[in-house]
Amino acid sequence: MDLTRRNILLGAGLITSGYFLSSPTVQAAAGSSKSFTSVAELQAGINSASAGDLLLLAAGTYTDAALTVTTHGLTIRAELPGKVIFSGSSHVVIKSDHTVLSGFQFLNGEYPGIVIRVFGSDNRIEDLNFFGYSAKKYINLEAGSQRNEIFYCNFENKPVTAPMGNLVGVIPDSQVPGYHRIRFCSFKNNLGAGGDNGNEPIRLGDGALVFRNGIDNMAYGNSFINAGGIRIKEASNIFCFDNYFENSGIGGRANSVTLEYLENNLNNINFLSNTFINCGAIILGGSGPLANRWANNLFVKPTGVIFSRPNQGTQWLGNIYQGSLGIPTTSGLKPGVPRFTHKTNDYYRPSTTTPTKSASVAGFLIPAMYDGLAPMNPLGVDLFQNSRPTKVEQWDLGAIQYSKYAKNFGPMTAKSTGPRYA
C-alpha cells in the first residue's frame, strides 16, 4: 500500500536549531478560567467547558488519572507548572482540535498502552516530563491528525521492563498529510532493546529518529551528539539535510545512519549538506536500494570505516571525507583534510582556510517545499539559519556555512530542552 505522509521533524532529540513552521492556529484561552483540585472535577470541567476556557489543575500527585478531551479549543494546564504529578495508571486521550496540554509530569507510573493519544488536529503538547514511566508509548499522533505540536517535553528512563514501543509515534495516513512539528524535546537514558524492539525516540509509521511506512518526509536542523542517529526502513522519498552528527552511534545500539532495505522501499533517500564527525558506521543497506543520493556532505573519522553494507543504487555528489571509506571509491567521494575551529561545548565549525569552503556541487534532487515552511526554502540556510549563497557552488560542505562573525550558538543542553519549568 502506498502510504503518503508528510511530516517535519525539527530538533528531534536533545539538540536542535531554530527552524520552524508557521504556528498552527491553536486556540488561545479567551474564555473563563477555572481551577480544580481533583481529576474527576477536571474531567467534569472539560465536559462542560467552552472553546477558549482555561482549565487549571492544582498542585499535587494524582494516581490513575484518566482524561478524555472532546471539547475543542481548551487550554488544560498545571496550575503550577511541574507541580502536578500523574502516577499509577494515568493516561490522556485528545479527540479535540486546538487543545493545549501543558505543565504536567508523568512519574514512575505504569500504563500498558499509550499514555497520550492525539486524534485531533492543531493541538499543542508542551512542557511535559515523562520519567521512569512504564508504558508501551508515551505520545502517539494518530493517523488523520494534522499540524500537532510537541514542544519542550522530556522523555527519560523508560524502564527496560516496559512494554516494547517507541517513545513518540507519528502514525501515517494514506490520504492525509501530517505537517506535525516536534521541537526542543529531550530523550535521555532510555535503555531498551532499540531497533524494531522499541524505545526509539521518534518513529514515523508502524516502526534514534526513525522513518518507517511513509513517504515525503524531511528531517533538518537537528544535531545528534553522543547519541543515536537516523534509521530509515520501509520508507521512500526522504530528505535529511543540514543535520550535524558528532560521536553519533558510538558505544550504543544505534548507528549514526542506518538504511534497512525491505523490498520496494529505500528509494529516493537523500542526505544533503550534513556533517559527520567521529561517528559510528553509516549503514547503506546492502543490495536493493535505488535512486539514492548523498550530496555535499562532510565525513571525518580518524579510526574505523565510515560506511558499511554498500549498495549499488546510490549517487555520490560533492562529498569530502577524511578517514577510511569502507566502500569502493567514487568520484563523488573525495579525500580531504577539513579544518575546523572548535571550542569546548561547541560545534566543529569550518575555519576560513578549510577546503570545504564553496566546495558544493549542483545536480542533487531538491525536496518539495509546501505551504507553512519558514523559511520557504529551508535548504537555503544552514544549521544556524545563516543564509547560504544563491549559487549552490558557493555553499560550504556540511551543515554549517562559514561565517566570519559566527553566531554564539552551541549545542543545546538539558537547560534549553525539555520542560521550561525544570
Side-chain angles (χ1 to χ4, degrees):
M1 181 170 59
D2 184 13
L3 295 175
T4 299
R5 184 67 167 179
R6 293 183 177 89
N7 300 288
I8 302 295
L9 297 182
L10 310 174
L14 278 174
I15 36 198
T16 175
S17 74
Y19 289 114
F20 60 95
L21 285 169
S22 57
S23 182
T25 55
V26 177
Q27 177 68 46
S32 61
S33 176
K34 303 174 184 178
S35 297
F36 304 93
T37 58
S38 74
V39 173
E41 291 177 356
L42 176 59
Q43 182 65 68
I46 290 171
N47 295 344
S48 62
S50 301
D53 285 356
L54 171 62
L55 309 180
L56 302 170
L57 185 59
T61 298
Y62 301 86
T63 304
D64 299 335
L67 294 172
T68 299
V69 185
T70 57
T71 303
H72 300 308
L74 302 183
T75 297
I76 304 167
R77 288 180 177 159
E79 192 164 41
L80 295 174
K83 300 300 183 181
V84 174
I85 297 170
F86 291 145
S87 65
S89 184
S90 297
H91 59 283
V92 179
V93 177
I94 298 175
K95 296 183 177 180
S96 55
D97 302 333
H98 304 290
T99 299
V100 177
L101 184 72
S102 176
F104 302 103
Q105 296 202 65
F106 292 81
L107 302 183
N108 302 315
E110 183 174 359
Y111 183 67
I114 302 167
V115 181
I116 299 177
R117 302 185 70 183
V118 181
F119 293 90
S121 298
D122 299 296
N123 300 295
R124 188 166 71 231
I125 311 299
E126 63 182 18
D127 292 304
L128 303 187
N129 180 40
F130 296 84
F131 185 95
Y133 205 87
S134 178
K136 181 178 181 180
K137 300 183 182 182
Y138 290 143
I139 300 178
N140 248 25
L141 304 180
E142 300 291 349
S145 65
Q146 291 187 299
R147 298 175 302 276
N148 293 301
E149 299 180 329
I150 302 174
F151 281 6
Y152 293 102
C153 294
N154 180 57
F155 306 87
E156 186 170 359
N157 281 18
K158 180 180 177 181
V160 175
T161 56
M164 291 188 299
N166 48 276
L167 307 186
V168 176
V170 181
I171 309 305
D173 186 277
S174 60
Q175 301 296 324
V176 181
Y179 303 116
H180 303 298
R181 295 200 294 171
I182 301 171
R183 299 184 68 211
F184 301 109
C185 292
S186 49
F187 300 83
K188 306 175 188 175
N189 304 320
N190 296 292
L191 301 177
D196 285 343
N197 295 313
N199 280 19
E200 299 156 330
I202 299 172
R203 183 166 176 169
L204 299 185
D206 301 332
L209 164 55
V210 182
F211 293 104
R212 185 166 183 185
N213 286 1
I215 64 172
D216 296 336
N217 292 297
M218 294 191 291
Y220 63 91
N222 301 284
S223 299
F224 302 86
I225 300 177
N226 301 319
I230 294 176
R231 185 165 75 105
I232 303 175
K233 180 178 182 179
E234 296 176 289
S236 295
N237 297 357
I238 305 298
F239 287 84
C240 302
F241 56 93
D242 286 340
N243 299 296
Y244 178 92
F245 302 78
E246 183 183 336
N247 298 328
S248 174
I250 299 293
R253 295 187 177 97
N255 297 299
S256 55
V257 174
T258 301
L259 306 185
E260 294 188 42
Y261 178 72
L262 292 180
E263 189 175 0
N264 298 322
N265 292 281
L266 286 186
N267 300 323
N268 192 26
I269 309 300
N270 300 270
F271 277 78
L272 316 173
S273 299
N274 301 287
T275 296
F276 296 84
I277 305 291
N278 192 33
C279 292
I282 296 172
I283 312 299
L284 297 176
S287 61
L290 298 173
N292 299 333
R293 300 165 192 84
W294 290 71
N296 303 324
N297 299 286
L298 175 60
F299 308 95
V300 176
K301 189 172 184 178
T303 61
V305 297
I306 298 171
F307 301 102
S308 66
R309 297 197 67 206
N311 64 66
Q312 303 302 313
T314 295
Q315 180 184 14
W316 302 90
L317 298 167
N319 304 279
I320 285 183
Y321 71 93
Q322 182 181 13
S324 177
L325 276 181
I327 62 174
T329 58
T330 174
S331 60
L333 273 166
K334 296 182 178 181
V337 182
R339 297 183 180 92
F340 300 100
T341 60
H342 182 239
K343 298 179 181 178
T344 303
N345 296 324
D346 195 10
Y347 292 95
Y348 281 85
R349 301 171 182 260
S351 72
T352 186
T353 59
T354 181
T356 61
K357 283 188 65 179
S358 301
S360 292
V361 299
F364 53 87
L365 192 65
I366 301 292
M369 303 299 171
Y370 45 87
D371 291 343
L373 289 177
M376 287 299 295
N377 177 17
L379 191 60
V381 297
D382 73 352
L383 180 70
F384 303 150
Q385 294 192 70
N386 294 311
S387 294
R388 295 188 186 273
T390 302
K391 294 183 177 180
V392 170
E393 292 82 358
Q394 295 177 347
W395 293 7
D396 293 354
L397 296 187
I400 303 173
Q401 187 78 16
Y402 170 79
S403 175
K404 183 177 180 180
Y405 304 102
K407 293 182 179 179
N408 184 18
F409 189 102
M412 291 191 175
T413 67
K415 293 182 178 180
S416 55
T417 56
R420 286 167 284 191
Y421 51 76

